[in-house]
């Protein structure tokens, strides 16, 4: 198995996190419209919490183009997300965001393969009986931890995309997870560096027979330079009721704050496969 070099601390709070975490907050709140307990599986969980004011984040400064542009006077549609970020000394990763929203009978399993990140996550949730932290492979967990006994669940898949093979791994992981848990809500983040990998992902998902698939994308410029993060997207399976109606204003607000008015800038919600 390949060694994980990626450390999310360098990228925490960047534009990709802003899209992912704003969508995550919307999804959890939407799923909590029903009182039945909810299970969250975070397959690539990271360390759970990041300092933006020192260490790796200051070396890249990526957060300044992301959450740094939202902290002051956040647009109302992003307030629920931004209010979870108390200060640049503590940016919540996906497990901390989900945990902040969980109710008394909701449950979460976090998988993280990097031992140091998993250890940080364990410390964050030490003694928390509603959260399980597993230092294990997140792809393999899609087969092992699904379906949950709650029968209602959100599966967040957020691989590091260190190489383009991860688009193939994502399509395979979605197919495995969906076959085991057909009613589950799946949310997978992906980078848009060039269109070809993203198009192939959509083809693979459709060819796998997965139904009810929608994507949301923020594109900051024409994706012609594959060496840059030109945009990012999330692929949703079984999106909750009103997703396609309520996401456009969230995307528009993100693009308004995070975009630089470059050619090709766009915010899109697209249906990939019907119900
Ligand atoms: C993009 S980061 C996750 C960020 C996190 N989801 C968040 O939003 O705060 C990806 C994480 O996946 C971990 N990782 C890489 N390959 C993995 C695998 N096969 N299984 C589980 N974790 C993995 C990396 O160590 C890294 O911490």
């Amino acid at each position: 198995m390949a060694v994980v070099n990626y450390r999310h601390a360098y990228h925490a709070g960047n534009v990709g996190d802003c899209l992912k975490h704003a969508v995550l907050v919307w999804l959890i709140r939407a799923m909590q419209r029903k009182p039945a307990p909810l299970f969250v599986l975070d397959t690539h969980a990271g360390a759970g919490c990041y300092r933006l004011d020192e260490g790796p984040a200051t070396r890249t400064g990526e957060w300044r183009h992301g959450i740094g542009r939202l902290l002051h006077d956040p647009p109302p549609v992003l307030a629920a997300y931004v209010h979870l970020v108390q200060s640049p000394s503590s940016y919540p990763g996906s497990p901390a965001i989900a945990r902040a929203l969980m109710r008394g009978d909701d449950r979460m399993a976090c998988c993280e393969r990097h031992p140091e990140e998993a250890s940080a996550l364990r410390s964050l949730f030490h003694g928390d009986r509603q959260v399980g932290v597993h230092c294990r492979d997140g792809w393999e967990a899609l087969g092992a931890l699904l379906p949950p006994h709650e029968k209602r669940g959100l599966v967040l898949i957020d691989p590091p995309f260190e190489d383009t093979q991860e688009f193939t791994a994502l399509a395979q992981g979605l197919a495995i997870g969906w076959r085991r848990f057909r009613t589950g809500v799946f949310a997978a983040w992906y980078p848009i560096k060039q269109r070809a990998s993203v198009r192939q992902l959509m083809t693979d998902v459709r060819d796998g027979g997965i139904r009810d698939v929608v994507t949301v994308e923020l594109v900051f410029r024409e994706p012609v330079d594959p060496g840059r993060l030109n945009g990012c997207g999330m692929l949703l399976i079984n999106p909750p009721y009103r997703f396609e109606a309520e996401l456009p204003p969230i995307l528009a607000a993100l693009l308004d704050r995070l975009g630089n008015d470059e050619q090709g800038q766009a915010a899109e919600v697209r249906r990939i496969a019907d119900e």
Side-chain angles (χ1 to χ4, degrees):
M1 192 181 285
V3 175
V4 182
N5 293 314
Y6 179 95
R7 303 302 288 268
H8 195 63
Y10 289 92
H11 311 289
N14 72 359
V15 292
D17 267 7
C18 291
L19 173 67
K20 179 201 320 170
H21 295 156
V23 172
L24 177 63
V25 168
W26 188 92
L27 287 172
I28 293 177
R29 286 160 55 106
M31 294 183 77
Q32 289 175 337
R33 286 173 196 155
K34 290 188 184 154
L38 180 66
F39 170 70
V40 178
L41 171 60
D42 192 337
T43 60
H44 294 71
C49 202
Y50 305 90
R51 290 202 73 122
L52 304 180
D53 58 348
E54 63 177 42
T58 56
R59 269 176 247 150
T60 61
E62 287 185 21
W63 72 272
R64 294 191 179 281
H65 305 279
I67 189 67
R69 292 185 176 186
L70 300 174
L71 285 172
H72 177 67
D73 193 18
V77 285
L78 298 176
Y81 155 51
V82 179
H83 285 162
L84 294 175
V85 186
Q86 275 154 21
S87 82
S89 66
S90 171
Y91 181 80
S94 51
I97 287 179
R99 184 65 187 98
L101 299 175
M102 277 164 61
R103 301 162 298 182
D105 48 4
D106 293 334
R107 187 171 66 92
M108 176 163 64
C110 302
C111 300
E112 168 55 53
R113 217 181 75 190
H114 195 294
E116 280 174 36
E117 306 291 83
S119 161
L121 202 52
R122 278 214 179 94
S123 304
L124 187 67
F125 293 125
H126 180 72
D128 190 331
R129 296 169 57 133
Q130 287 177 254
V131 181
V133 176
H134 310 264
C135 186
R136 69 185 290 177
D137 184 71
W139 302 119
E140 184 254 340
L142 286 165
L145 301 185
L146 296 178
H149 65 74
E150 288 86 350
K151 300 202 170 60
R152 297 189 65 241
L154 168 65
V155 181
L156 177 68
I157 307 178
D158 182 25
F161 285 95
E162 287 188 292
D163 60 61
T164 50
Q165 288 307 313
E166 266 184 313
F167 276 96
T168 310
L170 176 55
Q172 288 167 352
L174 285 167
I176 291 168
W178 179 74
R179 266 187 239 119
R180 291 191 63 85
F181 186 30
R182 289 201 181 212
T183 55
V185 176
F186 291 77
W189 184 91
Y190 56 86
I192 302 175
K193 293 190 170 178
Q194 36 145 348
R195 284 272 173 217
S197 319
V198 177
R199 266 199 297 264
Q200 188 60 48
L201 172 66
M202 302 312 155
T203 303
D204 291 346
V205 166
R206 270 195 222 99
D207 289 352
I210 302 179
R211 310 296 304 159
D212 198 5
V213 184
V214 173
T215 59
V216 291
E217 290 187 352
L218 281 182
V219 179
F220 299 111
R221 65 191 75 83
E222 273 313 322
V224 286
D225 177 357
R228 297 181 76 185
L229 185 67
N230 298 305
C232 53
M234 291 196 76
L235 182 149
L236 279 294
I237 304 175
N238 298 322
Y241 177 62
R242 293 196 56 75
F243 183 85
E244 285 159 279
E246 294 188 14
L247 260 289
I250 293 177
L251 292 184
L254 285 168
L255 194 64
D256 181 52
R257 285 284 179 98
L258 309 183
N260 293 309
D261 283 329
E262 290 179 71
Q263 183 139 22
Q265 162 172 308
E268 286 170 349
V269 179
R270 194 176 300 127
R271 182 156 278 278
I272 303 299
D274 289 330
E275 288 178 45

